[in-house]
Amino acid sequence: MYTFVQKFHSGWAYLALLLLVFAVVNSFLGKSSKKEFTAKDRKIALFGLIATHIQLLVGLILYFVSPLGSASIGQMAESDVRLTWLEHPLINIIAIALITMGWLKHKKATISEAKFNSIFIFYGVGLVLILIRIPWKLWF
């Protein structure tokens, strides 16, 4: 089961990142061209939100069913262990919280520019946080 969850988490990450990049680019283009926020724009942002939340749930399952066990404080001095057991989960939870805040702020906004702006800023910061804490050595 662990192997399946680990492979799913790694594979789903590609889809989640692709959808997040698409949502950020779409919101930037919508904001810069001053176009009207449509149902298509809402769905693009929603798919990015859903993909990241699924990634979070699978990641939490992976974190707690891992046969590697929890890392001790002494092992945290090793950068790979610290990245896998502390930095990656913590920063990604913060990133997904920011993405969720961007979704909620866009829902409360009444004008299109504010909707695009909320998605662009919050999803963009969330995307950057996710990208800087991906364990790249384990991915490739």
Side-chain angles (χ1 to χ4, degrees), residues 3-133:
T3 305
F4 172 76
V5 174
Q6 184 182 30
K7 298 289 184 200
F8 184 80
H9 184 67
S10 295
W12 190 264
Y14 289 106
L15 179 63
L17 286 173
L18 180 69
L19 289 169
L20 269 181
V21 167
F22 191 49
V24 170
V25 169
N26 181 63
S27 63
F28 176 75
L29 293 175
K31 182 179 107 155
S32 63
S33 66
K34 298 186 186 324
K35 73 174 201 156
E36 194 65 32
F37 192 86
T38 64
K40 177 190 72 104
D41 301 314
R42 185 186 65 79
K43 288 176 187 173
I44 291 170
L46 180 61
F47 289 153
L49 177 79
I50 291 170
T52 56
H53 279 88
I54 291 171
Q55 182 71 357
L56 172 65
L57 291 175
V58 174
L60 289 173
I61 292 168
L62 183 63
Y63 189 81
F64 289 110
V65 301
S66 174
L68 302 174
S70 62
S72 69
I73 298 298
Q75 291 174 312
M76 288 295 171
E78 299 174 32
S79 64
D80 290 341
V81 174
R82 188 178 60 247
L83 174 65
T84 305
W85 287 101
L86 179 66
E87 294 171 1
H88 176 71
L90 181 63
I91 296 300
N92 286 338
I93 288 170
I94 292 169
I96 293 170
L98 287 170
I99 291 166
T100 304
M101 287 170 40
W103 175 258
L104 295 174
K105 284 185 67 76
H106 120 272
K107 283 175 56 176
K108 292 180 181 177
T110 56
I111 59 173
S112 293
E113 185 179 358
K115 288 178 181 279
F116 282 124
N117 205 27
S118 295
I119 292 171
F120 176 68
I121 291 171
F122 284 93
Y123 279 47
V125 172
L127 177 63
V128 168
L129 287 175
I130 288 170
L131 288 173
I132 63 171
R133 287 296 96 194

